[in-house]
Amino acid sequence: MKLISVNDLSLQNEGYFAFKHVAFSISQNEIISISGDNGSGKTQLLEILTDNRMADGGTIEYTPGVRIGYLPQNDPQIIEATVGKYLENIRLLSKKLAVRKDQLKEMITFMGLSPYLDRSVQQLSWGIRRRVGFLAAVAGHPNVLLLDEPFAFQSSSIIKNMLTLIQDLKENGSGIILAGTEFDERINQCIDKSFLLKDNNLSLASSIEEEPNQEVALIFRVNPNSIAITPDLEKYIVSNINNLIEMKTPVALRNTIVKRMVQLNYQFEGDKEIES
C-alpha cells in the first residue's frame, strides 16, 4: 500500500528551480534512497514532505493514518533536557503507538547512548546528537520515516545498528526514505529503490546508470485541461487506461518528454521500472 505519493512537485529558490516535475511514492515495507550532490534539493524535498516548506507546484497525497518520523539534516532545536528525559517525552507524545518504555531503553543501549542519559542533549557532540535525533524519530514507531544524512559522522558499528532498526521498521509495515550525498554498498544492500536528484530532476538511479539506449517507463495522469498529445509523443504511448498514460521512452529523452507532457497539462506521476 502506498503511504505517500508525490506528483509533479516543483520548488523554486529565488527564481531558480531547486527541482521540478518530481514524482515518486513510498509504500509499506519499502526503503528508498534519494542521493545527490550537496545543494541538489534533497533536504528541501524532505522538508516539503514534512510540511515544513511549501512547494511551488504539484501535489502530495498522504494515506489516512500516516505518521511521519523525521531526522532533519540540521536540527535547529536547542534541547536542554537530558537524553533520557528527551527521548521519553518523545515516546510519550505518540502514546500507544510508540515503542514501549522497556523497548526504548533497549534501543538506547543498542545505539550506545547509555553513558549520556543524564547529559543535556545540547552539550553532546554533533555525531551523538544525531544518534539521539535518530532514536527520537524512531521512538514513535512511525509508518513513514524520513532520514536526512542519517549516517554522517557515525562509526561502522553504529551504522550497522541503525540499519537493523530501519529494517525492523520496514518489516513491520513502515516506509523509509534515506536522503544523502551517497551511500556505500552495505547501505545500498538494504535499499529497495534508488533515486538520483540531479540537474533539478529526480530519476531512478538504475536508469541513470544504464546504457544510452536503455528505456524507461513514464506515467502521466490525464487532467480535465489536458491537450491532445502530438504525433511525435504519441508513438511512445504503450497504454492509456483509467486516465493513466504509460510511455516507454529512451532514458536520454526522459526529461525532454516529461517537460513536453507537462506543457500539455498532463500530470507526471513518476518513473516505472521496465521488467526485463
Side-chain angles (χ1 to χ4, degrees), residues 79-83 116-124 129:
I79 303 170
E80 299 292 349
T82 63
V83 170
Y116 309 100
L117 279 176
D118 296 324
R119 291 183 56 181
S120 166
V121 175
Q122 194 59 31
Q123 295 175 353
L124 302 174
R129 286 206 307 270

Side-chain angles (χ1 to χ4, degrees), residues 3 27-30 141-144 169-170 172-176:
L3 297 168
S27 300
Q28 286 185 308
N29 309 106
E30 182 178 43
H141 208 281
N143 49 17
V144 173
L169 275 175
K170 172 189 171 179
N172 283 279
S174 295
I176 298 96

